């Protein structure tokens, strides 16, 4: 019962956050998914409904690195920023996907900013 309540609360927050994100600016959406072990990030073009760039903690160069989950999240942020630069993307809108902006989600966002993404 408690798990369902937790999931429902996250979905409700996700809808509220997604509603505030303005797609009309023509910017891609940097969305984050955090599981207990891994973290994933994608740059999504909502107009076409396609993922342009993605990075995760399961990629070989990131998975082989040692460190805490927060350190690995920062590395994922830097990796997605690097891939976005190669694709010619500089500005995005951050979508925390219903997760609290704290810990690993915050580390990923700061890593992306260090890598050169602006949001």
């Amino acid at each position: 019962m408690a798990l369902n309540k937790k999931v429902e609360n996250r979905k409700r927050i996700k809808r509220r956050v997604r509603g505030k994100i303005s797609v009309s600016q023509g910017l891609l959406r940097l969305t984050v998914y955090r599981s207990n072990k891994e973290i994933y990030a994608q740059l999504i073009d909502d107009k076409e409904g396609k993922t342009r760039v993605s990075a995760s903690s399961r990629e070989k160069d990131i998975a082989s690195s040692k460190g805490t989950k927060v350190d690995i999240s920062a590395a994922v942020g830097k990796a997605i920023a690097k891939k976005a630069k190669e694709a010619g993307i500089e500005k995005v809108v951050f979508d925390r996907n219903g997760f609290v902006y704290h810990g690993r989600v915050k580390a990923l966002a700061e890593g992306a900013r260090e890598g050169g993404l602006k949001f």
Side-chain angles (χ1 to χ4, degrees):
M1 185 74 170
L3 183 63
N4 278 341
K5 181 75 171 161
K6 186 176 181 180
V7 170
E8 289 301 318
N9 283 342
R10 190 177 143 257
K11 286 182 181 179
R12 182 175 42 81
I13 293 167
K14 179 179 175 177
R15 283 192 302 267
R16 185 174 63 228
V17 170
R18 190 76 48 87
K20 291 178 184 178
I21 294 174
S22 175
V23 181
S24 63
Q25 297 174 350
L27 299 176
L28 300 181
R29 180 167 47 98
L30 171 58
T31 187
V32 177
Y33 178 74
R34 175 184 60 82
S35 70
N36 286 337
K37 285 187 171 186
E38 311 291 345
I39 191 158
Y40 307 87
Q42 293 180 328
L43 287 177
I44 300 172
D45 185 355
D46 287 320
K47 289 181 181 175
E48 295 183 24
K50 293 185 179 180
T51 299
R52 296 289 176 213
V53 180
S54 66
S56 77
S57 57
R58 299 186 75 178
E59 294 176 359
K60 289 184 180 181
D61 56 336
I62 297 172
S64 62
S65 64
K66 299 292 180 189
T68 63
K69 290 191 272 187
V70 174
D71 296 335
I72 291 172
S73 297
V76 171
K78 290 176 186 173
I80 195 143
K82 181 182 175 190
K83 290 179 180 182
K85 288 266 187 187
E86 291 171 359
I89 303 165
E90 292 184 8
K91 290 184 79 176
V92 296
V93 176
F94 187 70
D95 177 12
R96 59 188 175 90
N97 211 6
F99 296 106
V100 178
Y101 186 80
H102 182 269
R104 292 192 281 158
V105 176
K106 183 177 179 181
L108 187 139
E110 289 174 352
R113 284 188 184 108
E114 285 177 25
L117 276 181
K118 294 182 176 112
F119 50 90

